[in-house]
């Protein structure tokens, strides 16, 4: 509000609160894509780095809880995402993933924003696979395969559809009763949808997204056709696994962060089995920065291991916070 001299009064110092509703309103899939692509490039260029992840079973409600944090020097994003996975939340009408992002001023260390993390987790995870499709999938990819049909799968489908001229969707889920919700999303964006077996997804799809909580392979190496791009998005904890580790030997493997890929990501199994070495895995940021060619032939199988890094969360949270701060009445509270 202007003061009695007609000048705009300075805003009071405090912490910006950005709600879940604000995030959904302010952070589109396109803005999330741009933020995630930029932070992957910064990571590969040595201008952003993640801190070690803490992730533990808390011994209550079967929940996993932890912290992801880091600093993006290029984007001046410093912070931590706190949250985890509560498998019983669906029965309560809540999403299973619950999280909050805390952003700090990198010049002073002061807390500057508290940002709802549930929607942002979904949209940034979808942006990650979408970035991999944009940079690694064949240009003529026409059939999208979905392995998994939970809440996150809906975001994945919408984001993927922006990157190629897909003509239909083939899908499989361990719990088939969940598929109609994913089919409805496909219908909204005008894509024919077919429920098939996991093997049939592999036989017919040019791009396959896996987004499950599996602890054993759902896709076998000999099911995958030459030229397929896979975005493996579900493995983010020790022991989880979605695809046969022998598939790594057939693929050119890319990831968000190599250290996380081999410790808690999909490649933990391939490295342990000796079918893949750490040096065989390329950060997707190197493709974005054009220091790696990415896909080099139409027959090449490309695999992106999306483990989910803290810098992704900070990138999209910064988008939300900066947009919220420019609004007429930002929600700022004093500490």
């Amino acid at each position: 509000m202007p003061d009695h001299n007609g000048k705009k009064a300075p805003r009071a110092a405090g912490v910006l609160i950005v709600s879940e509703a604000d995030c959904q309103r302010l952070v589109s899939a396109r803005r999330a894509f741009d933020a995630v692509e930029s932070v992957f490039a910064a990571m590969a260029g040595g201008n952003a780095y993640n801190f070690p992840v803490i992730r533990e079973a808390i011994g209550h409600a079967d929940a996993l809880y932890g912290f992801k944090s880091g600093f993006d020097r290029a984007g001046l994003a410093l912070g931590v995402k706190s949250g985890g996975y509560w498998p019983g939340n669906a029965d309560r009408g809540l999403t299973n993933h619950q999280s909050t992002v805390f952003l700090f001023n990198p010049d002073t260390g002061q807390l500057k924003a508290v940002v709802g993390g549930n929607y942002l987790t979904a949209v940034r995870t979808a942006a990650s696979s979408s970035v991999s499709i944009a940079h690694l999938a064949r240009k003529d990819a026409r059939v999208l395969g979905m392995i998994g049909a939970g809440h996150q799968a809906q975001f994945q489908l919408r984001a993927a559809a922006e990157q190629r001229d897909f003509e239909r969707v083939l899908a499989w889920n361990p719990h088939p009763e969940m598929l109609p919700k994913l089919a409805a999303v496909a219908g909204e964006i005008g894509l024919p949808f077919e429920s098939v077996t996991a093997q049939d997804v592999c036989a017919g799809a040019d791009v396959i997204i896996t987004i499950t909580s599996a602890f054993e392979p759902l896709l076998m190496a000999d099911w995958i056709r030459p030229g397929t791009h896979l975005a493996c998005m579900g493995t983010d904890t020790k022991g989880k696994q979605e695809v046969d580790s022998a598939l790594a030997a057939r693929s050119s493997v890319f990831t968000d962060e190599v250290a996380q890929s081999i410790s808690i990501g999909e490649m933990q199994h391939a490295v342990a089995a000796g079918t893949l070495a750490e040096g065989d895995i390329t950060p997707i940021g190197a493709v974005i920065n054009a220091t790696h060619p990415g896909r080099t032939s139409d027959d090449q199988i490309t695999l992106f291991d999306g483990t989910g890094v803290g810098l992704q969360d900070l990138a999209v949270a910064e988008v939300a916070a900066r947009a919220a701060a420019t609004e007429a009445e930002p929600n700022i509270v004093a500490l």
Side-chain angles (χ1 to χ4, degrees), residues 106-122:
D107 296 322
T108 66
Q110 291 176 296
L111 178 65
K112 69 176 187 179
V114 177
V115 185
N118 295 346
Y119 166 77
L120 293 183
T121 297

Side-chain angles (χ1 to χ4, degrees), residues 163-178:
Q163 300 309 320
R164 292 293 185 269
D165 293 325
F166 292 115
E167 296 172 351
R168 61 190 178 113
V169 179
L170 303 177
W172 175 84
N173 191 61
H175 305 284
E177 68 275 9
M178 299 174 68

